Amino acid sequence: DNVCASAEMVLCGQMFHENGCRDFVRVGTCDSFDRNYHPTKAPADPEGENMSAAAAQYYYAEPSAVFQAKLEAAMPLPVVLLVGCGLWSLSLFLDPSIGGFRLYINVWNVLGFLLAALVGPIIAYPVRQATLERNTDRKQKACVSLVVVLVLLVGVVIADPKVQNARIWYISVIGVMLLVGSYPILQHSCRMGRRWDLKGKPKSNDEIFVHTMGTPLLFWGVALFWIGTNSVQMADLNFTYLPLFTNVSRSWVVFVAGMLMIVPAQLALDLAFDQGSELVAVSESYSIYKLDGSTVKNIVASVEWLPSGYIGTALESPIWWSLGWILMALCCFLPFGVTSLTIQQFCAMSICVAMAPLYACFVVPAFWKNDLTAFPKCCFVYCAVMISWAVAIGINGGIALILSFMGVFLVLAGQRFTLFERKRGIPRPHLPMIES
């Protein structure tokens, strides 16, 4: 393989520079200027900059200090992760039923503190060192120990009488399950993931996907575990700064619409377009387009009992994404029904309903067709509608307005950053416009 270009990947707060972790690299030989990989010949410069740690392991019994330093720089110690886990463990001593810094101590939160304090060091030292050394057995044992610590932590938090989350214990359990499930997906999709552990070389650009469910699962797991470890049945609302109600249908319907319909549908559309699915016109007069379904169909084809054709057609069209926004609009009626509909609810509902045709008929077709004139205009309208949605949600002020603006900002910023990481993102001025 050719030497991979320098790149950076962010995964759970850890920075990877892959030019320190390569397998079959070009090295200089003693008898010529040929810079190919020659396993039977010694390198001209044993401490040279062109030999990787894998090559050094071949030529020497142990990697030299130069290549060990390159590996350390490629996967540095996650200091921010350690600090975050430390703060999380200390937060278990705070009383969740009231705001401020009122402390309490019992057997359960002391055990929770000790278990939570182990999460960061396990990731930062055994898992990291096993990854640098490509010691798969040690890494598997470290990962198993991390899972055991998280499971014990869930049990301790559920048993804590101060937390009072006996009725919603499943939220913490689901959160840990999502956290554990996100790791293999992230490892499989990143450049220096599972292939580095097994073969010592990175994936090629064609094999890397930025549109995976690993990051959403990681986010959902952290959010649900956070809610589960700080839940109370009754709280003093005068001192509660961020009330999240998990006992009403509105909260769960919004979660399903956003995190189980809109986000996965967006990831599927982006992945299919980047992998070469062709543009198909559903209705040219109304500018409704979809992709041909070939990418998702090939992915699902390995499971014989699934209707891959129908799944590919559904996920590579804006249907599932639009249904998510329509379901989000129906949430405006919850939990009081249509009899007490206010102007605020009506505006929020109208914006959600308008979001589906705006995105499906204008923004996505302009991007798919590489229309550099229409796409920026559609993006400005899309951003304006999203901001107006945030205003409609938090028009009464307070924490709702702050959170709605923060949420819309993160959504727009995430979509903007993703466009620069995609294989077929923007800007693409060198490509011709696709005529419908």
Side-chain angles (χ1 to χ4, degrees), residues 362-392:
F362 295 96
V363 179
V364 172
F367 173 72
W368 284 345
K369 294 189 295 182
N370 197 30
D371 191 343
L372 299 180
T373 302
F375 182 68
K377 298 178 182 179
C378 295
C379 287
F380 282 125
V381 176
Y382 172 71
C383 293
V385 173
M386 289 289 290
I387 294 173
S388 63
W389 184 45
V391 173

Side-chain angles (χ1 to χ4, degrees), residues 5 27 66-67 72 75 173 202 224 242 258 303 315-317 321 350 367 370 386 403 406 416:
V27 297
V66 173
F67 305 109
E72 295 287 341
M75 190 176 183
V173 175
L224 292 179
L242 186 62
V303 184
L315 292 181
E316 293 195 20
S317 65
W321 192 92
S350 302
F367 173 72
N370 197 30
M386 289 289 290
L403 292 179
M406 289 177 59
R416 176 66 175 174

Side-chain angles (χ1 to χ4, degrees), residues 177-234:
M177 292 174 61
L178 294 179
L179 282 174
V180 174
S182 66
Y183 183 76
I185 299 177
L186 290 171
Q187 286 289 297
H188 180 73
S189 59
C190 68
R191 182 186 295 272
M192 303 302 299
R194 188 61 176 166
R195 181 175 295 185
W196 163 253
D197 295 334
L198 298 177
K199 299 182 180 180
K201 61 180 181 179
K203 286 186 175 183
S204 63
N205 290 334
D206 295 335
E207 298 174 307
I208 299 173
F209 306 114
V210 297
H211 318 289
T212 66
M213 289 299 295
T215 303
L217 289 178
L218 178 64
F219 171 78
W220 299 343
V222 172
L224 292 179
F225 199 26
W226 168 60
I227 293 175
T229 53
N230 295 277
S231 299
V232 292
Q233 295 182 8
M234 297 294 295

